[in-house]
Amino acid sequence: MKRISTVFGKSHQYYKQLGKQYSNGAFLPGCEFTPSTYKGASYEAIVKSRECLVMATQKPFYKKPVLLHEGRAQWLWDHEGRRYLDMFGGIATVSVGHCHPKVVTALSEQSYKLGHTTAIYYHPRYHEYAEKLTSTLPSELKCVYLTNSGSEATELAIQLARLYTGRTQIVALKNCYHGGTGIAAATTAMACYKYPLPTLPGHIHVTNPDVYLGPWGGSNCRDSPVQPGNRRCDCLPNKCEAEDKYFEEFQSIYKSLIPFDGKIAAFTAESIQGVGGTVQYPRGYLKRVYEQVRKAGGLCIADEVQTGFGRTGEHFWGFEGHGVRPDIVVMAKGIGNGYPLGAVVTTLPVAQALSKALYFNTFGGNPVGCAVGSAVLDVIEEENLQENARIVGTRIIEALAELQGEFPDVVGDVRGKGLMIGVELVADAETREPLPADQVAQIFEDIKDAGVLIGKGGVNGNVFRIKPPLCVTKEDGEYTVDALRSALKKHRESRRF
C-alpha cells in the first residue's frame, strides 16, 4: 500500500509526537484540508458533562471516547488535531462527505432567505425537491411526505399501510432494525433494543434469511462479490435451496400466526440489514415474499434508511437489487448528509388513506431541509458517487475477503455490496460462535488507534460495519484493510500468551 510521507506538510516525526496517532506505523492517505484549532471545553469537562447531563443510554464508542471537532469529506479531526478516516459515516448517514461545499452553501443560502415555514403554506423548495426525489424511484411512487428521522418515517409508513388495508398485522424479519420509537420499536426485532415493557400489538417476526448464520445458506446465495466461505450448498443451477427453505418458513406464518382471513397490512424489510450486521438474504427471497404478501392483499415496505442514495453501488435504491417494486419506501440518514431529514414515498391511492384524519409535522419539509436534500441528490449525480461506491466498495470487499483468508480463525464472514460492508468476527470458524465482546472491543480500539473509525453491529456486537461517505477512495479502502490487518495481527499475538 502506498505510504504518504507527509500530512498537511508535517513530518512523520511530528505526528509521532502527538502520541503515536497511527499505531500501525503507517500514514493515513493524504488530505489537503487544514482544520481549525479546537478552542472548546476541555476533554475532562466534556466527559463530566456527558455523565451528568446526558441520558446514560447514549453510550460512546471506545475505551477513551473520541472528541470530534471538525470534518471534511471522509476525514474527521479530534480536539487534539488527530485526523481519522471516517469509514462509518455517522452510521451510514454522511453520504456525500462531511461539510460538502455544495450542501453547506445550499443550507446557508436558504437559511438567509427563508429558514422555516410549515406545510400549511406553499414554498417552492418542497415541490422542487419532491420532483427531484421521486424521479429516482419507480413511476408509481410519486407521493412524498417529509419527516425528521427514519423512526418517524417508519411510523408513518406502517400507519399508512394499516389505514389503506384496514388491517393491523405487520410482518418483519427477526434481527431487523426499523427505529426506536413506538411502532418502529415494536417492528424492530433485536433484543438489545427492547425495553422490559409491553410491546405494541400487531407485529409478527419471521425467520431471518441469513445465509451465514441461519439454518440454510451456502456458497452462492447472496448478491455480494464474496460468499460465505465455510458453507457449501448443493443447489442446482439457477435454483437456491436456501431461498426455498426460508420462503417456506415465511409461508408458515399464515398457518400459525396470522388471525382470521390470513391477510396482513404489510411486510417491511431492509434491503440489507444494517444494525443487524449487514445481513444479506438469498437472491430471490424478497421477490417471492413480495408476491406472497400482495396475493394476501398486503403492502410491501422497503426500508432504505441505510441502503438508499447509491450506497449499494449497482443501484440507487437497495430494493432494485432484489428486482422488486415496493408500495412504500422509507428513507433517512444519507438523504440529508447528516441534516435531520427523512421521507416516506408511496403511491397516490396509499397516500390518500392518510386523509382520514389530520397528520402534521411542524418541521418536516422545511425549506432548509429541502434545499439540503436537493443538494445531496445533485452531488451524488455530479460526482458520480454511486459508481464510486460500486468500484471502491467492491475492491474493499474483495480485499477483506483476502484478509479473511489470512485470519480464518477469527474473520468468519465478509459480506456486503458497494459501501455497505460487514465483517463478522468469530471464536470458532466451524460453529460460527461469536468472538467474545472483550476481544472484539480491543480489536475495535486498535483500529481506531490506527486512525480509522468503523462501526459495530449484529445481535452479539461482533460485526464490524464499514459504511463510509461515498467519496472514499481506493487508497482509503486499502488503508482501512491494512488497519484491520494490523489489529488482527495484534489480536493473534495476544492469544499466543
Side-chain angles (χ1 to χ4, degrees), residues 275-481:
V275 177
T278 319
V279 175
Q280 295 179 276
Y281 323 126
R283 296 172 191 271
Y285 174 81
L286 277 189
K287 190 170 186 177
R288 292 174 71 177
V289 169
Y290 270 39
E291 291 170 354
Q292 177 70 43
V293 168
R294 288 193 171 118
K295 284 180 183 178
L299 299 182
C300 298
I301 302 172
D303 184 331
E304 293 288 332
V305 170
Q306 294 196 32
T307 51
F309 299 91
R311 178 159 294 280
T312 60
E314 186 179 0
H315 302 286
F316 196 83
W317 301 105
F319 65 77
E320 295 177 280
H322 295 277
V324 299
R325 179 191 58 77
D327 302 293
I328 305 173
V329 181
V330 172
M331 52 189 80
K333 290 190 180 291
I335 190 175
N337 199 48
Y339 185 90
L341 181 63
V344 174
V345 183
T346 188
T347 64
L348 179 59
V350 174
Q352 288 174 335
L354 205 61
S355 301
K356 295 177 181 179
L358 290 176
Y359 185 92
F360 186 72
N361 178 311
T362 300
F363 298 105
N366 72 79
V368 176
C370 292
V372 167
S374 182
V376 168
L377 291 175
D378 289 342
V379 173
I380 292 172
E381 180 178 1
E382 292 166 4
E383 299 185 7
N384 205 19
L385 294 184
Q386 179 183 326
E387 178 67 1
N388 189 65
R390 184 187 69 81
I391 294 172
V392 175
T394 300
R395 178 60 198 128
I396 292 174
I397 293 170
E398 291 172 345
L400 288 169
E402 295 172 9
L403 190 70
Q404 182 183 11
E406 296 176 41
F407 301 91
D409 55 327
V410 64
V411 180
D413 193 32
V414 171
R415 52 185 177 259
K417 191 175 180 183
L419 290 171
M420 184 89 175
I421 302 169
V423 180
E424 184 144 352
L425 304 184
V426 297
D428 187 296
E430 293 301 318
T431 65
R432 302 184 290 280
E433 176 187 348
L435 193 69
D438 61 330
Q439 295 181 39
V440 174
Q442 186 57 57
I443 297 171
F444 193 60
E445 196 83 15
D446 291 336
I447 294 169
K448 180 260 293 182
D449 290 343
V452 179
L453 304 181
I454 61 174
K456 288 192 296 183
V459 69
N460 296 299
N462 66 315
V463 181
F464 286 160
R465 299 165 65 195
I466 299 174
K467 301 170 184 182
L470 306 186
C471 58
V472 293
T473 66
K474 290 182 180 179
E475 188 177 33
D476 298 331
E478 290 168 1
Y479 186 89
T480 299
V481 175

Side-chain angles (χ1 to χ4, degrees), residues 5 10-20 27:
S5 59
K10 305 293 186 179
S11 68
H12 188 181
Q13 185 63 31
Y14 173 83
Y15 281 94
K16 287 177 69 177
Q17 290 172 355
L18 285 179
K20 295 185 179 179
F27 286 106

Side-chain angles (χ1 to χ4, degrees), residues 147-283:
T147 68
N148 303 126
S149 71
S151 291
E152 183 192 357
T154 294
E155 301 255 342
L156 177 56
I158 290 174
Q159 188 160 310
L160 275 168
R162 286 172 167 166
L163 287 168
Y164 179 77
T165 62
R167 307 185 194 110
T168 59
Q169 299 294 335
I170 302 296
V171 178
L173 301 174
K174 293 178 180 178
N175 199 58
C176 69
Y177 181 85
H178 294 286
T181 60
I183 295 172
T187 311
T188 294
M190 295 186 72
C192 56
Y193 289 96
K194 294 290 188 181
Y195 288 100
L197 297 170
T199 300
L200 294 176
H203 294 268
I204 296 169
H205 294 95
V206 299
T207 300
N208 191 37
D210 183 342
V211 299
Y212 175 67
L213 288 181
W216 305 289
S219 55
N220 195 35
C221 292
R222 65 192 181 202
D223 183 17
S224 174
V226 298
Q227 301 293 333
N230 67 339
R231 299 197 77 175
R232 296 288 179 263
C233 59
D234 299 319
C235 299
L236 298 173
N238 301 317
K239 184 67 173 176
C240 179
E241 181 180 335
E243 176 193 320
D244 291 341
K245 295 292 187 181
Y246 285 118
F247 182 62
E248 288 172 10
E249 283 288 297
F250 180 85
Q251 288 180 306
S252 71
I253 67 169
Y254 290 96
K255 300 176 182 178
S256 58
L257 296 174
I258 304 296
F260 308 120
D261 57 3
K263 295 181 178 180
I264 64 174
F267 167 78
T268 183
E270 303 156 88
S271 296
I272 299 174
Q273 288 181 337
V275 177
T278 319
V279 175
Q280 295 179 276
Y281 323 126
R283 296 172 191 271

Side-chain angles (χ1 to χ4, degrees), residues 39-208:
K39 297 179 180 180
S42 69
Y43 187 89
E44 292 72 23
I46 295 290
V47 171
K48 186 175 181 180
S49 174
R50 185 74 174 245
E51 291 174 348
C52 298
L53 301 178
V54 178
M55 289 190 181
T57 187
Q58 295 186 344
K59 297 180 180 179
F61 277 166
Y62 306 116
K63 297 174 183 177
K64 183 180 180 181
V66 179
L67 174 54
L68 295 175
H69 160 51
E70 197 161 347
R72 282 297 185 281
Q74 63 269 49
W75 303 106
L76 290 166
W77 287 264
D78 71 8
H79 65 298
E80 295 180 319
R82 290 184 177 88
R83 181 164 60 107
Y84 296 92
L85 176 57
D86 182 9
M87 295 299 287
F88 198 30
I91 315 179
T93 299
V94 180
S95 50
V96 301
H98 291 281
C99 302
H100 191 287
K102 184 158 189 168
V103 177
V104 172
T105 298
L107 185 152
S108 178
E109 290 181 350
Q110 185 58 51
S111 296
Y112 274 102
K113 186 178 294 183
L114 178 65
H116 173 73
T117 185
T118 68
I120 61 175
Y121 306 109
Y122 288 158
H123 69 82
R125 286 296 194 181
Y126 198 122
H127 305 285
E128 292 167 5
Y129 180 52
E131 284 190 13
K132 190 179 291 187
L133 180 62
T134 55
S135 70
T136 68
L137 291 157
S139 59
E140 302 90 342
L141 297 169
K142 288 296 181 185
C143 289
V144 178
Y145 195 103
L146 296 178
T147 68
N148 303 126
S149 71
S151 291
E152 183 192 357
T154 294
E155 301 255 342
L156 177 56
I158 290 174
Q159 188 160 310
L160 275 168
R162 286 172 167 166
L163 287 168
Y164 179 77
T165 62
R167 307 185 194 110
T168 59
Q169 299 294 335
I170 302 296
V171 178
L173 301 174
K174 293 178 180 178
N175 199 58
C176 69
Y177 181 85
H178 294 286
T181 60
I183 295 172
T187 311
T188 294
M190 295 186 72
C192 56
Y193 289 96
K194 294 290 188 181
Y195 288 100
L197 297 170
T199 300
L200 294 176
H203 294 268
I204 296 169
H205 294 95
V206 299
T207 300
N208 191 37

